[in-house]
């Protein structure tokens, strides 16, 4: 008779996600994951198959917690320029509030894991494309309604905004100074015109 799982899988994945964000994939050992989740090594392996399996589950959770809510905000129909400002300011506020200076899991995966794992590549690409498509729609509509000039291609601006958001996350890990990060936000918004 199979044993039933004796731990909260969602809570374990959330704890693992935070461990990976703090230390990266390579900097997080199985023992670190055991300590972070409070789940025994054998149970983690039984549930996720491997450290990589848990990492992929953490990436899915990160998408649910951060990317999908952001896409929802971007689809709320607010005026484009104001909406983009709101999204970038919210990113800065999240960075400043985060006392542990956790990295963006997507950026960490892109830097540390893509060359080694096609599944990680697929996760990073799909999440980035999801955000890019939502940002593209906002920028294109803002251009159409005269809130942004049409001087630059909307798709290129969407990619630029993704790079800005990722850059803010990276910078925030070593310099979470709100004033400095807001200067970047204002410069990025000026570049949209």
């Amino acid at each position: 008779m199979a044993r039933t799982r004796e731990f909260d899988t969602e809570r374990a994945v959330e704890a693992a996600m935070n461990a990976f964000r703090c230390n990266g994939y390579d900097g997080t050992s199985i023992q670190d994951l055991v300590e972070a989740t409070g789940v025994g090594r054998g149970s983690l392996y039984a549930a996720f198959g491997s450290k990589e399996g848990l990492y992929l589950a953490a990436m899915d959770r990160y998408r649910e917690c951060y990317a999908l809510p952001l896409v929802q905000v971007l689809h709320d129909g607010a005026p484009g320029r104001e909406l983009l400002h709101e999204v970038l300011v919210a990113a800065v506020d999240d960075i400043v509030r985060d006392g542990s200076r956790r990295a963006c899991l997507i950026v960490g995966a892109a830097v540390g894991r893509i060359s080694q794992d096609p599944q990680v590549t697929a996760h990073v690409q799909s999440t980035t494309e999801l955000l890019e498509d939502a940002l593209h729609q906002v920028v294109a509509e803002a251009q159409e309604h005269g809130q942004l000039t049409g001087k630059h291609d909307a798709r290129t601006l969407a990619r630029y905004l993704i790079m800005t958001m990722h850059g803010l996350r990276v910078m925030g890990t070593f310099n979470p100074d709100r004033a400095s990060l807001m200067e970047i936000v204002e410069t990025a918004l000026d570049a949209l015109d």
Side-chain angles (χ1 to χ4, degrees), residues 173-190:
T173 62
F174 63 85
N175 182 20
D177 175 65
R178 190 175 199 285
S180 297
L181 296 172
M182 284 304 299
E183 287 174 359
I184 295 166
V185 166
E186 296 307 326
T187 302
L189 290 171
D190 287 346

Side-chain angles (χ1 to χ4, degrees), residues 69-95 97 135 138 161 165 168-169 178 182 185-186 188-189 192:
L70 177 55
V71 168
Q72 284 297 114
V73 167
L74 290 168
H75 287 306
D76 85 350
R81 190 170 198 26
E82 293 171 27
L83 183 57
L84 295 172
H85 182 268
E86 176 186 320
V87 163
L88 292 173
V89 170
V92 167
D93 289 342
D94 186 52
I95 291 164
R97 260 193 317 271
L135 285 164
V138 170
L161 288 166
M165 288 189 285
L168 287 168
R169 289 276 176 200
R178 190 175 199 285
M182 284 304 299
V185 166
E186 296 307 326
L189 290 171
L192 297 180

